[in-house]
Amino acid sequence: MSKNSEVSVLSTELLVTLDNALALTRDEVRTLHKNYGNASLVTLMSMLNFDRQFVRAEGTRVWDSEGNEYLDFLGGYGSLNVGHNNPHVIRALERVKNLPNIIQANIPTIAAALLHNLAQITPGKLKRSFLCNSGAEAVEGALKLARAATGRKTFIYCRNSFHGKSFGALSVTGREKYRNSFEPLLPECVEVPFGDAGALKRALREHEAAAFIVEPIQGEGGINVPPAGYLVEAARACREAKTLFIADEIQTGLGRTGAMFACQHENVEPDIMCLAKSLGGGIMPIGAFITTDDIWHKAYGSVEKATLHTSTFGGNTWAAAAGIAALEVLLKENLPAAAAEKGAYFMAQLKELKRKYPLIQDVRGRGLLTGIEFAQPGGLANMATMGLASKLSTEYLGSMVAGELLNRHRIITAYTLNNPNVIRLEPPLTVGKEELDYVLNALEDVLKRNKGFFSFAATSAKTVLKSIRGK
């Protein structure tokens, strides 16, 4: 196919139809992405054979175009709490398929029900929600709300945090790699160490901040759990400074950590909460930020201010229906409690692996949000490479372990974006104990076969060469 600049001759013959798209081979998919999308990402994914073509999914399992079955322990970065293609969510979409999906000149029916439901399940006085399309959009909306409600400009955020890659969200994301190419970002954004209440208090004294935004557990930072009491102390310090406390529960929320929301482990009531990912039941893109009556009215509580923050697709019928159904599954199947029980078992077994294998430096998390951090090369090997071995290990060991799990055991996982030396294990909350055991056994097999960074590097090199020969 070739592009023709003459608008008058454009026709469907230039397009790939849906029928043809469904019939594309793995090679054809790769070629289209290379030609029309992010070619460098295709190269990166291909190196460790992460460019498989998945054609079916159900619950915790997916199947590729060659008929191989995989366990999904990545879970869409927390988007699949109720599993792949949950039948209750799909039935909900079937029930609304003939309703208008997007009509701007009305007050949408299904969205009204979801707004009510969010107010019922969130902590404290959280009541008024804005429905959007993603986590980054929810963060953007929360930041705008904080400025509008307080009249202040400054935001405080945590080192190693991740809140999204749009400009506002990126401005309060704590990794330079993702920020440098896009500077200048929002001004008056102040970074403090995660888990350090004293540093936060100093920043609150030095800056008249609109809001402090924090993940109750840092996801992309490496599944970092703060010290006990940190969130309580942070929320109290924010109240004393008249600074709004924003809890980013996009990855930690909706049952993932063993409670409906991670901040509830310490009985913290945020001023604003951000949600997304699994709110769409693993099928529809949807996000939300929710706040109190008082804060909402300060920002948008008049006819003149009613349209200051809007979204074309936010609260559309299909997305809202998926959100309603996802919440029903979470509550009816008591998935937060399931995450707590299964997560405790999984964590105990992973810590036993840590005791046996020095390559595991740390295991941490809560519920079914788990991270494994790997030890760095030391001694003569690292000295001989002038520290290069340690640097390479920090950036690539996590992906090598994930590659081994995928290629040898057909388990899907990945490293965390801000700390590539950590792999996350984040399955759907519907995961079974036998599936947890399978992953534990697979991890032990990988650790037995590979004693350190250089061993993994040699294995990965073989995988890359095999992949290149086969393409």
Side-chain angles (χ1 to χ4, degrees):
M1 291 181 290
S2 62
K3 184 182 291 187
N4 193 313
S5 60
E6 296 289 337
V7 175
S8 60
V9 300
L10 290 177
S11 73
T12 56
E13 293 179 2
L14 296 173
L15 307 180
V16 179
T17 66
L18 179 58
D19 285 340
N20 289 337
L22 290 169
L24 289 172
T25 66
R26 179 180 177 182
D27 286 340
E28 289 170 335
V29 170
R30 189 186 301 114
T31 298
L32 288 173
H33 276 282
K34 280 186 174 181
N35 289 341
Y36 304 108
N38 190 338
S40 298
L41 183 60
V42 174
T43 300
L44 177 64
M45 299 295 281
S46 298
M47 287 178 66
L48 289 175
N49 232 6
F50 274 45
D51 59 346
R52 285 167 167 78
Q53 183 185 28
F54 294 110
V55 297
R56 186 163 72 90
E58 180 182 346
T60 57
R61 297 174 183 267
V62 296
W63 289 261
D64 69 17
S65 55
E66 298 175 1
N68 299 308
E69 182 178 338
Y70 300 78
L71 264 181
D72 184 358
F73 264 60
L74 181 57
Y77 306 126
S79 299
L80 293 162
N81 288 9
V82 300
H84 284 278
N85 293 327
N86 186 281
H88 185 69
V89 179
I90 290 176
R91 283 194 296 270
L93 297 180
E94 283 289 317
R95 294 187 66 187
V96 301
K97 67 181 181 181
N98 293 322
L99 294 179
N101 194 36
I102 302 168
I103 296 181
Q104 295 302 322
N106 87 318
I107 303 174
T109 301
I110 309 302
L114 180 58
L115 293 171
H116 169 271
N117 293 353
L118 289 174
Q120 308 313 306
I121 67 165
T122 47
K125 297 179 181 179
L126 295 176
K127 178 180 178 181
R128 295 192 179 272
S129 294
F130 180 92
L131 302 177
C132 53
N133 307 286
S134 70
E137 284 188 35
V139 170
E140 296 285 344
L143 297 177
K144 288 176 66 179
L145 175 69
R147 278 191 171 176
T150 65
R152 299 177 174 185
K153 308 301 181 188
T154 301
F155 296 114
I156 302 174
Y157 67 97
C158 289
R159 186 174 304 149
N160 220 26
S161 62
F162 187 89
H163 298 289
K165 291 179 179 175
S166 53
F167 265 99
L170 194 57
S171 300
V172 292
T173 285
R175 192 181 185 201
E176 293 302 314
K177 174 180 178 178
Y178 298 119
R179 296 162 55 96
N180 290 340
S181 296
F182 309 104
E183 292 178 337
L185 298 171
L186 288 183
E188 301 184 55
C189 292
V190 177
E191 183 183 83
V192 295
F194 179 66
D196 186 339
L200 173 61
K201 290 174 183 178
R202 288 191 294 274
L204 289 168
R205 286 195 298 268
E206 294 168 6
H207 304 275
E208 196 174 66
F212 169 57
I213 183 168
V214 65
E215 302 155 273
I217 297 173
Q218 286 189 334
E220 304 306 329
I223 319 299
N224 299 319
V225 182
Y230 168 69
L231 294 177
V232 173
E233 200 169 351
R236 184 186 303 118
C238 286
R239 281 195 302 273
E240 292 172 355
K242 294 181 171 54
T243 292
L244 299 182
F245 182 93
I246 303 175
D248 180 345
E249 293 265 9
I250 291 165
Q251 188 163 183
T252 56
L254 300 173
R256 171 59 53 184
T257 68
M260 184 60 78
F261 301 102
C263 63
Q264 291 176 309
H265 290 291
E266 295 195 5
N267 296 315
V268 169
E269 299 179 4
D271 298 302
I272 306 171
M273 179 185 286
C274 299
L275 305 173
K277 292 192 183 294
S278 66
L279 181 59
I283 296 176
M284 294 300 298
I286 184 171
F289 62 88
I290 183 168
T291 190
T292 65
D293 250 337
D294 180 57
I295 294 168
W296 181 272
H297 283 294
K298 286 179 180 177
Y300 304 127
S302 69
V303 173
E304 291 78 12
K305 294 181 178 181
T307 57
L308 289 182
H309 189 72
T310 58
S311 168
T312 299
F313 286 90
N316 71 77
T317 297
W318 282 49
I324 290 171
L327 295 181
E328 288 175 349
V329 173
L330 285 166
L331 294 175
K332 287 180 179 178
E333 299 184 16
N334 201 6
L335 292 183
E341 180 184 351
K342 296 169 188 174
Y345 168 78
F346 197 43
M347 181 65 72
Q349 300 305 309
L350 288 171
K351 286 184 175 179
E352 180 62 20
L353 288 181
K354 175 181 179 293
R355 186 188 66 79
K356 293 170 63 176
Y357 298 97
L359 186 59
I360 297 180
Q361 180 173 308
D362 194 19
V363 178
R364 53 184 179 261
R366 179 169 276 162
L368 286 172
L369 178 62
T370 309
I372 302 175
E373 184 167 9
F374 298 99
Q376 298 300 300
L380 293 176
N382 200 43
M383 291 175 61
T385 61
M386 301 180 68
L388 181 60
S390 180
K391 182 178 179 180
L392 290 173
S393 177
T394 298
E395 287 294 325
Y396 299 111
L397 183 53
S399 62
M400 292 175 187
V401 175
E404 277 284 89
L405 289 171
L406 180 70
N407 293 310
R408 189 175 293 277
H409 297 281
R410 294 180 183 150
I411 297 167
I412 302 169
T413 186
Y415 58 81
T416 56
L417 287 178
N418 284 5
N419 189 347
N421 196 42
V422 175
I423 64 166
R424 75 182 89 209
L425 298 169
E426 200 169 351
L429 307 186
T430 56
V431 68
K433 182 176 178 295
E434 68 283 358
E435 293 170 325
L436 297 174
D437 287 336
Y438 179 82
V439 171
L440 291 164
N441 291 331
L443 273 167
E444 182 153 30
D445 177 70
V446 168
L447 293 166
K448 281 180 180 177
R449 292 173 179 274
N450 300 275
K451 303 300 182 184
F453 169 70
F454 293 104
S455 176
F456 271 107
T459 301
S460 295
K462 293 177 184 177
T463 300
V464 170
L465 290 172
K466 181 180 178 181
S467 177
I468 292 172
R469 286 196 298 267
K471 294 173 183 177

